[in-house]
């Protein structure tokens, strides 16, 4: 795997972690929760290599 | 458990369900194969990876059908589904493989050139996943593809696509477009390897004529035409005039731009001895201002908005209530291909390429397209291939 792809996956995992943490910490806004899930979806698919 | 946690768990469950259902449909589409019955003219079937080993095991690999007459003559290559959403191209290739009989020279056909693109549609543009053609033995169903290789196979896109070897800067999205990545390279991205495989095929099999089949918007000026570089333009002009006189449909000639790189009609001519041609048939489905992108629009090309634009003279092709039925589009491609072979054979008699049993424009308009597809259940198992 090229080095750039390793960095790409590390960045994806980092962003995914932020989104999951934001989702867990969200206390009020359901629309924000939906937004976090929408943003997290492509990152989950990429990190898990689901084609 | 707090109410908020119940909401969170429910949201995750709903998301999982939506992604699962949609993902299953896209997975099924990506792995859906259409059978192609090798006609009496097919003598062998190779893979593109035979000419570019780095394609082996990837979705860039694809079938290459050889129709060899055994009589000394020229060799022609027909490439279809460079852009799989331009469906008249692949359908023409299917018709040729299932029906054409070579009388002199060799015909090589690649029905799904950008195989990866044929396995990824454009849900964001409302593209259907499949379309079907009525035949004498039932419906034959095809995958509806997109324009570029699937991002599942080639990703991420660069900010700017730097063409190899000319270093011209092109749109990022064209890195997945097999009509911008010619002549390709064996260690490049998937689309560059696909084009390199075809270039090696052209060079190793001494191909004399290459025809790349496409469809284009009716609002785009480069439609209903033959695109040819200088080295091919005389034959293109004669083919254009002949079909207009004898078969009564227009198909003008467009020059291949000298300084726009990556295009098949530019690079094949520059990087091999072959004469390249690119055929465009009108494809109303691809126009932006249409109604819903349905399989019906894909096949009959009838659209009220386009008709209104035609009345305002905004289109580059004649357009009536009849639309642009798929039979006309495939028929035009078949006739122009045969006429290019005819003109090439007149100019280079020692390299003649003669086909029989391939339908022409009038045949397809009269008989319909489905007549030319053979029933896989009645064919010998070793004569069926999957695209």
């Amino acid at each position: 795997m090229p080095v750039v792809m390793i960095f790409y996956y590390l960045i994806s995992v980092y962003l995914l972690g932020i989104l999951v943490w934001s989702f867990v910490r969200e206390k009020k806004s359901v629309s924000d929760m939906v937004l976090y899930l929408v943003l997290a979806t492509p990152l989950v698919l990429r990190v898990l290599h689901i084609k | 458990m707090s109410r908020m946690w119940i909401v969170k768990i429910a949201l995750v469950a709903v998301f999982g369900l939506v992604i699962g259902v949609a993902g299953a449909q896209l997975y099924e589409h990506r792995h859906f194969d259409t059978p192609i019955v090798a006609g009496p003219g097919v003598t062998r079937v190779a893979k593109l990876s035979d000419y570019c080993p780095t394609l082996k095991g990837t979705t860039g690999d694809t079938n290459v059908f050889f129709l060899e007459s055994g009589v000394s003559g020229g060799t022609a290559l027909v490439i279809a589904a460079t852009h799989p959403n331009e469906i008249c191209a692949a359908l023409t290739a299917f018709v040729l493989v299932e029906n054409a009989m070579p009388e002199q020279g060799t015909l090589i056909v690649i029905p799904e050139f950008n195989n990866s693109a044929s396995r990824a549609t454009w849900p964001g543009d409302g593209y259907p996943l499949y379309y079907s053609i009525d035949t004498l033995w039932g419906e034959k169903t095809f995958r509806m593809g997109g324009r570029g290789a699937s991002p599942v196979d080639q990703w991420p896109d660069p900010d700017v696509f730097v063409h190899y070897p000319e270093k011209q800067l092109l749109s990022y999205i064209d890195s997945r477009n097999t009509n911008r990545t010619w002549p390709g390279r064996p260690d490049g991205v998937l689309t560059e390897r696909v084009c390199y495989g075809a270039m090696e095929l052209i060079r190793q099999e001494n191909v004399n004529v290459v025809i790349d089949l496409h469809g284009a918007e009716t609002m785009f000026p480069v439609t209903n035409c033959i695109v040819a570089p200088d080295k091919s333009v005389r034959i293109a002009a004669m083919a254009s005039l002949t079909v207009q006189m004898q078969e009564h449909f227009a198909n003008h000639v467009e020059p291949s731009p000298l300084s726009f790189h990556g295009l098949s009609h530019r690079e094949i001519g520059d990087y091999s001895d072959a004469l390249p041609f690119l055929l465009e048939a009108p494809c109303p489905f691809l126009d932006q201002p249409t109604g819903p992108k349905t399989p019906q629009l894909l096949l009959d090309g009838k659209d009220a908005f386009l008709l209104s634009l035609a009345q305002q003279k905004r289109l580059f092709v004649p357009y009536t209530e009849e639309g642009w039925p798929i039979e006309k589009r495939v028929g035009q491609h078949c006739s122009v291909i045969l006429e290019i072979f005819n003109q090439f054979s007149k100019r280079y008699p020692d390299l003649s390429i003669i086909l029989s049993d391939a339908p022409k424009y009038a045949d397809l308009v009269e008989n319909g397209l489905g007549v030319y597809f053979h029933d896989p259940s009645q064919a010998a198992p070793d004569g069926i291939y999957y695209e």
Side-chain angles (χ1 to χ4, degrees):
Chain A
M1 183 185 288
V3 174
V4 68
M5 290 305 289
I6 294 171
F7 277 108
Y8 163 68
Y9 282 112
L10 288 173
I11 292 167
S12 296
V13 170
Y14 174 68
L15 292 174
L16 189 57
I18 291 173
L19 288 166
V20 170
W21 182 238
S22 302
F23 179 78
V24 169
R25 282 171 55 98
E26 181 57 51
K27 302 287 187 219
K28 293 177 184 169
S29 172
V30 173
S31 62
D32 280 3
M33 289 179 206
V34 172
L35 184 64
Y36 295 138
L37 288 174
V38 169
L39 292 173
T41 302
L43 297 171
V44 171
L45 297 178
R46 283 292 171 188
V47 169
L48 297 181
H49 286 225
I50 296 173
K51 293 188 173 183
Chain B
M1 186 181 290
S2 72
R3 181 180 162 274
M4 196 47 72
W5 270 106
I6 293 170
V7 170
K8 283 178 180 175
I9 291 167
L11 276 177
V12 171
V14 168
F15 252 75
L17 187 67
V18 169
I19 291 169
V21 170
Q25 287 181 3
L26 294 176
Y27 182 90
E28 188 181 355
H29 173 262
R30 181 172 163 82
H31 294 86
F32 181 88
D33 288 324
T34 302
I36 182 168
V37 178
V42 175
T43 47
R44 63 189 167 104
V45 181
K47 301 294 281 189
L48 198 57
S49 59
D50 296 341
Y51 300 90
C52 178
T54 52
L55 282 175
K56 201 165 185 63
T58 71
T59 46
D61 204 1
T62 190
N63 289 328
V64 182
F65 293 83
F66 283 77
L67 289 78
E68 298 155 308
S69 67
V71 180
S72 175
T75 300
L77 168 63
V78 172
I79 294 169
T82 294
H83 299 146
N85 55 344
E86 299 160 11
I87 63 163
C88 53
L91 293 172
T92 304
F94 271 63
V95 167
L96 290 176
V97 168
E98 296 205 5
N99 297 278
M101 192 70 196
E103 302 293 341
Q104 187 174 356
T106 297
L107 173 65
I108 305 170
V109 183
I110 304 178
E112 293 285 358
F113 184 59
N114 195 344
N115 187 40
S116 169
S118 79
R119 296 176 185 280
T121 183
W122 285 0
D125 280 29
Y127 274 27
L129 292 174
Y130 309 95
Y131 62 94
S132 298
I133 307 279
D134 288 329
T135 72
L136 298 175
W137 43 269
E139 281 191 338
K140 188 175 177 73
T141 302
F142 297 82
R143 284 188 313 277
M144 173 70 189
R147 181 177 168 87
S150 170
V152 165
D153 300 316
Q154 185 178 317
W155 205 83
D157 294 329
D159 288 341
V160 175
F161 171 50
V162 183
H163 174 264
Y164 175 85
E166 303 293 346
K167 295 187 170 61
Q168 186 171 42
L169 303 184
L170 298 171
S171 164
Y172 74 97
I173 204 162
D174 281 335
S175 72
R176 288 189 278 118
N177 178 350
T178 45
N179 200 25
R180 296 294 183 278
T181 51
W182 294 90
R185 50 183 159 177
D187 55 352
V189 293
L190 187 71
T191 45
E192 288 177 319
R193 283 181 272 153
V194 169
C195 289
Y196 179 80
M199 283 305 306
E200 281 300 294
L201 166 67
I202 291 164
R203 289 187 281 249
Q204 290 177 29
E205 303 293 342
N206 299 314
V207 172
N208 308 110
V209 173
V210 180
I211 301 177
D212 185 13
L213 302 176
H214 287 255
E217 297 87 340
T218 60
M219 296 184 75
F220 183 52
V222 186
T223 189
N224 211 24
C225 65
I226 308 171
V227 187
D230 281 355
K231 70 195 282 193
S232 311
V233 81
R234 286 174 68 95
I235 289 172
M238 287 306 296
S240 167
L241 290 169
T242 307
V243 295
Q244 194 158 354
M245 280 191 302
Q246 294 184 349
E247 305 193 45
H248 313 296
F249 64 83
N251 211 251
H252 69 280
V253 177
E254 288 277 345
S256 172
L258 281 170
S259 55
F260 188 173
H261 289 287
L263 299 155
S264 62
H265 49 82
R266 173 82 272 134
E267 310 296 352
I268 290 172
D270 290 351
Y271 286 87
S272 77
D273 295 329
L275 299 181
F277 303 85
L278 185 147
L279 310 191
E280 294 278 13
C283 186
F285 181 93
L286 298 177
D287 281 293
Q288 291 299 326
T290 69
K293 302 290 189 189
T294 61
Q296 191 66 29
L297 174 61
L298 196 56
L299 295 176
D300 66 17
K302 286 182 190 172
D303 184 79
F305 297 101
L306 289 181
L307 186 60
S308 166
L309 288 166
Q311 286 157 358
Q312 298 169 47
K313 302 192 185 306
R314 303 282 185 189
L315 306 186
F316 287 91
V317 294
Y319 192 92
T320 64
E321 289 85 354
E322 187 194 350
W324 268 93
I326 192 67
E327 291 80 11
K328 278 180 70 172
R329 290 177 262 159
V330 174
Q332 285 197 184
H333 273 344
C334 285
S335 279
V336 176
I337 289 169
L338 293 172
E339 195 50 44
I340 287 172
F341 292 168
N342 184 35
Q343 295 299 332
F344 177 80
S345 302
K346 279 184 183 171
R347 195 166 170 81
Y348 304 100
D350 294 344
L351 297 173
S352 289
I353 302 159
I354 301 173
L355 295 183
S356 62
D357 297 342
K360 297 179 90 171
Y361 178 75
D363 301 321
L364 278 145
V365 170
E366 185 179 339
N367 304 325
L369 180 55
V371 172
Y372 299 99
F373 294 137
H374 300 293
D375 186 354
S377 68
Q378 301 297 317
D382 61 352
I384 301 173
Y385 296 84
Y386 292 91
E387 295 292 341

